[in-house]
Amino acid sequence: MRAADALCEALKAEGVEHVFGIPGGANLPTYDALYDADLLHIQSRHEQGAGHAAEGYAKASGRVGVAFATSGPGATNLVTAIADAMMDSVPTVFITGQVRTELIGTDGFQEADVTGITLPVVKHSFLVTDPRQIPAYIQQAFHIAKTGRPGPVLVDIPQDLSRADIEYEPAEGPPELPGYKPPTEGNIKQIRLAAKALANSRRPVVYSGGGVVNANAAQELIDFVTSDKFPITQTVMGLGAFPAPHDQWLGMLGMHGTRTANYAMDNADLIIAVGSRFDDRITGKLSEFAPRAKFVHIDVDPAEISKNVPAHIPIVGDAKDVLPKLTREYRALKADSGRLEAWWEKIRGWQSEHPLGYEDSTDSVIKPQFMIEAMYEATEGDAIITSDVGQHQMWAAQYYHFKRPRQWINSGGLGTMGFGLPAAIGAKVACPDETVVCLAGDGSLVMVCQEFATAAHHDIPVKVFLMNNGYMGMVRQWQELFWEKRYSSVELGDSPDWVKLAEAFGWAAMRCDDKRELTGQMRTAIETDGPVLLDVHVDREENCFPMIPAGAAARDMVG
């Protein structure tokens, strides 16, 4: 068969049912093979949209997301999505067409060295040099993408090789990848040391991140945290792995986290980090981060351990394997739970003194925080929520109580504006029986509004709740607080008319500027067939608080 047909067969062998992408000259053989293949192709309107849709698919389902693009500009349009997937550890496979082999290196039409361009932002990449390599490369790509620390893998296929006839031999047995053997079990001696440190700790905090979600280890995390009365806080990527609200839940930590979570980290004597990276949005001023604490760091990626914060007890392994062992070892020690009473008294004091809240309007004006509360009520807290990046993302993390993993899908590491809508499309394709809501910002949505056409064309009934404040809100907030209100190039004005724009793409659309009607209109949008946009006009210059100013310590939160 043609190598392009073998590619489709190899994808099906990996369990692939859906792919996202756009055809072009260099990947036409692949699209010709798709014509007869038992794969559902979602035609995106921009390759970045296809890449983010593949991410949303993977994040919502836990399966590998797949996106196609042609050579040159098609492939380079994928780069942002690839980098996003790398930062957030999303299992994805990106398959690009390449110019014919005799044109490689000649600056041929639509040629780009995509393997070179993406080298810093992929987990691995394959450049096909022999069409017979394709079945094995696809098997290896999927194995690499979904094992160890998940991430994006690129497969670049020259057009002439994808047209070649080959004897199709399915890849059988486990892939042979010398040197790639990610550890999963964790060193039992280190785990016992961690258990003893926990038993001796008087002020412990469990700090978990997106790695717990990626490892499908939410239940193991719950079992560990509730094995004693351990306080737990999570990153924006980790939300949902531990159900909120809960008596042991401190809220999100970091730049826009709760004061309680950040103060607890600042005063802890032991921090158990699980599947988290100690990135700058968590630590604030690194030299003053958690100065009283020892650190247990559990991560499947050894490169993350001690990268930013030195680990006193490093444990390299998968959270799903390590956490049950740590729980058993801790329970065997029969530690005195009473030792934590003073710590909880301190924590309850912070919760009482610094509750998360805002000053609501006394008239019909919609505060952004109220919009999130209305969204929680309208969805009964049970929808898959995707978001763009900015104030609305942080408000959602603060006020929407995520109670299960893979319910909250956003761009955490790269912070990609425009992520929300295509990710929602991918999530809805992966989970057709779930309500999928994209909480969008107007600054982000305008960057990917062409993907309205994707949802309409394929009848993908996502709901977009647009938090419309006429600004690039987070940038405006920083200019207000740190740049003397010199608002430079952040005001978006009233254009476009979002209702008209959505209707032009075939969506149902409505507008709300009265908080008394908001929850009802959200319910109407959810109950309406097909894709729906709800344009919500909120208080334009509301700020997202509390926050740790850039470069400051957690104890110096403002707002």
Side-chain angles (χ1 to χ4, degrees):
M1 64 173 68
R2 288 179 306 174
D5 295 301
L7 169 64
C8 292
E9 291 300 315
L11 291 173
K12 287 191 287 184
E14 295 299 326
V16 175
E17 299 174 352
H18 305 92
V19 295
F20 304 86
I22 299 178
N27 67 351
L28 273 179
T30 298
Y31 275 82
D32 186 69
L34 275 177
Y35 190 87
D36 298 314
D38 187 20
L39 294 168
L40 180 59
H41 178 265
I42 309 300
Q43 183 189 351
S44 301
R45 296 304 189 266
H46 191 283
E47 288 87 358
Q48 183 179 344
H52 292 325
E55 288 187 272
Y57 184 97
K59 288 190 175 193
S61 67
R63 303 190 296 272
V64 176
V66 181
F68 288 171
T70 191
S71 64
T76 57
N77 280 345
L78 274 180
V79 171
T80 297
I82 295 172
D84 193 278
M86 187 67 177
M87 288 285 277
D88 284 352
S89 304
V90 187
T92 39
V93 171
F94 297 92
I95 300 173
T96 53
Q98 184 54 273
V99 299
R100 300 190 310 274
T101 49
E102 72 268 18
L103 294 177
I104 293 176
T106 70
D107 292 333
F109 178 67
Q110 291 194 334
E111 182 191 0
D113 178 11
V114 65
T115 53
I117 290 167
T118 59
L119 186 61
V121 292
V122 293
K123 190 174 178 185
H124 194 67
S125 58
F126 296 92
L127 172 61
V128 174
T129 57
D130 183 325
R132 293 170 295 184
Q133 297 169 326
I134 288 175
Y137 277 3
I138 293 298
Q139 185 202 39
Q140 292 168 17
F142 275 75
H143 178 71
I144 293 169
K146 65 189 179 184
T147 55
R149 180 179 181 174
V153 179
L154 174 76
V155 182
D156 194 35
I157 309 176
Q159 196 235 43
D160 56 321
L161 299 188
S162 64
R163 297 177 66 175
D165 289 324
I166 64 171
E167 292 292 332
Y168 175 58
E169 296 181 7
E172 296 179 350
E176 296 182 10
L177 293 166
Y180 179 72
K181 299 191 186 309
T184 61
E185 299 296 322
N187 184 293
I188 192 61
K189 292 183 179 179
Q190 296 295 94
I191 292 171
R192 286 172 180 158
L193 283 175
K196 289 178 182 177
L198 261 176
N200 292 323
S201 170
R202 294 295 185 267
R203 301 187 308 279
V205 176
V206 178
Y207 147 55
S208 73
V212 175
V213 178
N214 291 337
N216 296 313
Q219 188 57 55
E220 289 78 4
L221 177 69
I222 294 168
D223 292 344
F224 168 60
V225 172
T226 57
S227 67
D228 205 332
K229 204 171 181 185
F230 298 134
I232 179 170
T233 181
Q234 291 180 300
T235 68
V236 69
M237 297 303 299
L239 297 177
F242 190 87
H246 188 282
D247 283 347
Q248 292 170 242
W249 167 242
L250 307 183
M252 181 180 72
L253 82 163
M255 178 170 280
H256 291 284
T258 66
R259 286 182 182 269
T260 298
N262 285 319
Y263 289 176
M265 293 287 281
D266 191 55
N267 286 271
D269 64 2
L270 182 70
I271 290 173
I272 306 93
V274 189
S276 47
R277 301 186 291 118
F278 291 98
D279 69 285
D280 62 294
R281 285 301 193 263
I282 297 302
T283 63
K285 188 175 182 179
L286 193 58
S287 62
E288 296 188 27
F289 174 69
R292 305 162 182 82
K294 302 287 187 182
F295 297 95
V296 175
H297 195 168
I298 302 167
D299 205 290
V300 75
D301 183 1
E304 286 298 339
I305 295 178
S306 296
K307 184 178 79 175
N308 295 324
V309 173
H312 298 87
I313 304 176
I315 302 174
V316 179
D318 191 288
K320 196 170 186 68
D321 292 322
V322 172
L323 285 174
K325 295 175 183 176
L326 181 56
T327 302
R328 286 195 298 271
E329 293 294 334
Y330 176 77
R331 284 176 171 158
L333 294 173
K334 295 181 170 46
D336 176 18
S337 293
R339 75 191 192 285
L340 302 180
E341 288 179 3
W343 181 222
W344 273 107
E345 184 178 348
K346 186 79 169 174
I347 289 171
R348 297 302 183 210
W350 289 324
Q351 289 175 327
S352 177
E353 188 177 353
H354 305 290
L356 187 64
Y358 64 99
E359 185 177 343
D360 199 4
S361 61
T362 57
D363 52 18
S364 62
V365 172
I366 300 171
K367 290 284 188 177
Q369 302 93 326
F370 179 88
M371 178 179 172
I372 305 303
E373 292 175 334
M375 184 172 73
Y376 184 80
E377 183 179 352
T379 61
E380 299 179 349
D382 200 36
I384 292 175
I385 307 296
T386 73
S387 85
D388 292 310
V389 169
Q391 288 177 313
H392 63 285
Q393 176 194 26
M394 294 296 101
W395 279 314
Q398 290 174 337
Y399 289 95
Y400 196 103
H401 306 298
F402 298 98
K403 51 192 176 186
R404 56 187 170 87
R406 305 194 182 279
Q407 187 186 0
W408 170 232
I409 297 171
N410 69 117
S411 171
L414 198 63
T416 305
M417 292 181 68
F419 174 88
L421 174 57
I425 290 171
K428 186 64 177 178
V429 171
C431 305
D433 296 330
E434 298 270 7
T435 297
V436 177
V437 174
C438 167
L439 175 67
D442 46 336
S444 290
L445 191 58
V446 76
M447 294 183 176
V448 292
C449 58
Q450 73 278 349
E451 299 305 324
F452 282 138
T454 303
H457 178 72
H458 292 280
D459 193 23
I460 302 170
V462 295
K463 316 300 176 183
V464 173
F465 294 167
L466 173 61
M467 187 179 285
N468 188 343
N469 62 9
Y471 280 109
M472 294 174 66
M474 189 63 84
V475 183
R476 184 212 58 77
Q477 176 171 333
W478 280 56
Q479 289 181 344
E480 175 189 337
L481 298 179
F482 309 118
W483 296 90
E484 301 177 343
K485 292 189 177 181
R486 292 163 57 86
Y487 292 168
S488 176
S489 303
V490 291
E491 188 166 7
L492 301 172
D494 297 324
S495 60
D497 183 322
W498 285 102
V499 170
K500 288 182 179 178
L501 180 65
E503 289 176 341
F505 280 107
W507 285 44
M510 57 191 80
R511 181 177 290 112
C512 184
D513 56 12
D514 187 332
K515 72 178 185 181
R516 294 164 295 192
E517 301 173 0
L518 181 55
T519 304
Q521 285 193 271
M522 286 179 167
R523 288 186 176 129
T524 298
I526 291 168
E527 293 164 2
T528 300
D529 292 338
V532 183
L533 170 80
L534 176 59
D535 178 15
V536 183
H537 288 238
V538 300
D539 190 344
R540 295 195 68 202
E541 296 194 16
E542 183 77 1
N543 286 331
C544 184
F545 288 125
M547 72 175 293
I548 304 173
R555 69 186 75 94
D556 298 324
M557 296 191 79
V558 298

